[in-house]
Amino acid sequence: MAKYDKADLERRMHGAVESLKHDLAGLRTGRAHAALLDPVTVEVYGAHMPLNQIASISAPEPRMLTVQVWDKSNVGPADKAIRSAGLGLNPIVDGQMLRLPIPEMTQERRKELSKLAGQYAEKARVAVRNVRRDGMDNLKADESKKEISEDERKRHETEVQKLTDATIAEIDAAASAKEKEILG
């Protein structure tokens, strides 16, 4: 049966924060950023592949992304994938290069993205709470098997709660910074 492992809980909570930061990086703030295209997958060679595995992505200007597709036969599928990704981008095809002008963000779009950032943060909070619950369950199981005393269980539960509070504070800080950046 699972034993209480503080390092494992820390690793899993940190993973939730890293996942959130990755999700937030993909939210557009009005500036061109290569991470914006991270969620885009392209159907090529009979499989779905991340765009960055079939092309190099760069941001030569603050309001322009370029996607240099390596294989000429993948230009069409890449163009289609970007258009259907729901990012509000319309590529301009120029040989094997796709130019993506980043449109000005409307206030309505900013609100939508801000809401999405809040949803990502809530997903991360739920993940952290699930890790906390696992830790607490393991502590209770260890105590019932007489592997640790009641005092030890209570001390470890306090550690787990402190770790949870610190991680959730980190999530809240990342989310509010992103929301400020989006609403700019």
Side-chain angles (χ1 to χ4, degrees):
M1 192 62 207
K3 282 182 71 81
Y4 169 73
D5 179 356
K6 185 178 177 196
D8 181 57
L9 294 180
E10 283 176 350
R11 182 186 55 74
R12 289 169 58 198
M13 285 186 186
H14 183 70
V17 173
E18 287 308 305
S19 174
L20 169 70
K21 287 180 177 170
H22 181 79
D23 288 347
L24 291 178
L27 288 182
R28 192 154 63 87
T29 56
R31 284 192 313 276
H33 194 283
L36 178 61
L37 296 175
D38 281 355
V40 178
T41 58
V42 185
E43 196 171 336
V44 288
Y45 313 121
H48 285 278
M49 295 175 75
L51 180 64
N52 61 12
Q53 288 185 8
I54 65 154
S56 43
I57 302 165
S58 59
E61 300 166 31
R63 306 197 65 75
M64 172 78 69
L65 282 174
T66 58
V67 178
Q68 180 67 50
V69 183
W70 300 321
D71 182 344
K72 205 172 184 69
S73 65
N74 294 338
V75 173
D79 178 38
K80 186 176 158 211
I82 293 167
R83 286 179 194 278
S84 60
L87 297 169
L89 299 174
N90 292 310
I92 299 162
V93 180
D94 179 9
Q96 284 180 238
M97 170 88 71
L98 299 175
R99 297 185 194 289
L100 299 152
I102 308 289
E104 248 336 305
M105 281 187 29
T106 63
Q107 201 52 38
E108 189 179 305
R109 181 74 177 135
R110 287 178 192 274
K111 285 195 181 100
E112 278 175 30
L113 289 176
S114 175
K115 226 186 257 171
L116 195 57
Q119 289 170 0
Y120 287 160
E122 186 52 35
K123 197 172 74 178
R125 281 188 214 102
V126 168
V128 168
R129 286 191 211 104
N130 288 339
V131 173
R132 174 190 176 278
R133 190 195 57 229
D134 290 349
M136 296 299 195
D137 290 349
N138 290 343
L139 285 169
K140 287 185 182 104
D142 289 352
E143 183 191 10
S144 71
K145 287 186 279 180
K146 305 278 188 261
E147 290 174 13
I148 60 173
S149 68
E150 184 182 352
D151 290 345
E152 273 183 288
R153 175 183 59 84
K154 286 182 176 162
R155 192 175 63 246
H156 287 314
E157 281 179 350
T158 306
E159 280 177 8
V160 172
Q161 189 56 51
K162 279 185 184 153
L163 181 62
T164 303
D165 293 343
T167 308
I168 289 199
E170 194 179 342
I171 288 169
D172 291 343
S176 73
K178 189 64 177 188
E179 285 174 23
K180 270 194 196 96
E181 188 184 338
I182 289 169
L183 296 171

